[in-house]
Amino acid sequence: MSQDTPITPGADRSETVEDQRVETGSQADVVPVGAVDLGLTPVVTGHETIGVRKGAFGAAGSGDTSGFGGLVAPIAMPGPSARPFGGDFDAVADELELALADAGLPMDSAIEKVVVDRGELTLYVQREHLEAVGRTLRDEPGLRFEICHSVSGVHYPGDQGRELHAVIHLLSITHKRRIRLEVACPDQDPHVPSLTAVWPSADWHERETWDMFGIVFDGHPSLTRILMPDDWPGHPQRKDYPLGGIPVEYKGATTPPPDQRRGYS
């Protein structure tokens, strides 16, 4: 191998960029050496790119002490998957489609897209049909997702008109299956139906998601803060929430925001 051949840092089995392209089977998965320095952004195929993240944490205008100041990565949402999905995923989709049709709700009206990514099944649900889809997943004998064991949130400021996402994880003990539901709503109208009437275990999870992200779960029996004080302004895990600068009262000091911290070069 020539000494002029570029070496990709961290490559385990491949010594050159071209070798890595052959292994992954896609040129889009490889960024040539120097691409970040040239300001090029990796292209992700089969995904919807909603933004670009720069640096380790996305903070701008601050002294980067992490060593990842030159990192440039796309923020990409996986696109819809085509059948066959593989494993039990086709059976879940078929059962759900038939059950919704029996209830007079077409699958295309209730489900935006079905995504199989990293070996997991995600159903993107229209928010007005979330409760109906949840009841069907719980009650249909061929589905029987008896347990909702997690509700969490994600904030994508670049996903125009659907910036806030609620993510619901379901478990079927009967059929030994796990799936994920995802429902989106805009910043200006952060409302989705509560699932506490379907799965009571969603109660405290929805409170935490509202507390951290500001997603309002309509129909929740007591949507109050669960982590932050009742009078706390804003929702700390949203991307537009300020980093640092919160007074540490017991010491009389402050934690400066990132753009005011000392940088090391």
Side-chain angles (χ1 to χ4, degrees):
M1 183 179 65
S2 170
Q3 292 184 352
D4 296 331
T5 304
I7 303 298
T8 304
D12 295 331
R13 296 171 296 171
S14 300
E15 295 183 323
T16 68
V17 171
E18 192 62 34
D19 290 337
Q20 279 198 321
R21 289 198 182 103
V22 173
E23 283 190 6
T24 60
S26 172
Q27 295 185 7
D29 295 331
V30 178
V31 181
V33 172
V36 170
D37 296 333
L38 295 174
L40 302 179
T41 302
V43 177
V44 181
T45 59
H47 292 66
E48 177 189 356
T49 301
I50 60 173
V52 176
R53 183 176 64 252
K54 298 181 179 180
F57 306 104
S62 63
D64 190 297
T65 61
S66 66
F68 292 94
L71 178 66
V72 179
I75 303 173
M77 306 291 289
S81 300
R83 287 179 180 270
F85 302 135
D88 290 337
F89 298 157
D90 291 283
V92 171
D94 291 340
E95 289 284 352
L96 179 60
E97 184 171 10
L98 291 172
L100 290 176
D102 290 342
L105 180 59
M107 181 85 159
D108 292 342
S109 298
I111 306 298
E112 295 179 10
K113 61 180 178 179
V114 179
V115 174
V116 177
D117 188 49
R118 295 172 175 84
E120 298 179 330
L121 175 67
T122 303
L123 304 174
Y124 285 75
V125 185
Q126 297 281 3
R127 60 175 170 169
E128 61 269 24
H129 298 303
L130 179 61
E131 186 173 357
V133 171
R135 290 189 182 277
T136 302
L137 289 168
R138 183 194 67 182
D139 297 340
E140 182 63 28
L143 297 169
R144 290 294 189 206
F145 286 92
E146 305 100 335
I147 296 177
C148 172
H149 62 86
S150 174
V151 179
S152 58
V154 192
H155 187 208
Y156 296 106
D159 196 4
Q160 297 296 322
R162 30 186 304 121
E163 292 87 357
L164 293 168
H165 291 227
V167 184
I168 301 105
H169 293 263
L170 304 178
L171 168 65
S172 170
I173 297 176
T174 301
H175 300 290
K176 299 180 177 63
R177 295 168 176 165
R178 295 179 185 269
I179 65 170
R180 179 192 296 109
L181 306 182
E182 191 158 337
V183 58
C185 59
D187 274 338
Q188 303 304 316
D189 181 27
H191 292 262
V192 301
S194 173
L195 290 175
T196 53
V198 182
W199 293 285
S201 59
D203 189 335
W204 284 18
H205 296 284
E206 290 182 352
R207 284 180 58 190
E208 182 177 348
T209 303
W210 175 79
D211 195 357
M212 293 291 103
F213 292 93
I215 300 175
V216 179
F217 292 91
D218 296 329
H220 190 282
S222 179
L223 197 61
T224 56
R225 290 199 183 269
I226 193 172
L227 298 177
M228 307 304 293
D230 290 341
D231 59 350
W232 191 267
H235 304 280
Q237 287 190 343
R238 290 177 59 134
K239 299 291 177 61
D240 54 5
Y241 192 83
L243 299 174
I246 300 172
V248 184
E249 295 180 0
Y250 69 95
K251 288 186 177 179
T254 61
T255 302
D259 58 350
Q260 297 177 17
R261 297 174 191 171
R262 186 191 313 185
Y264 298 90
S265 59

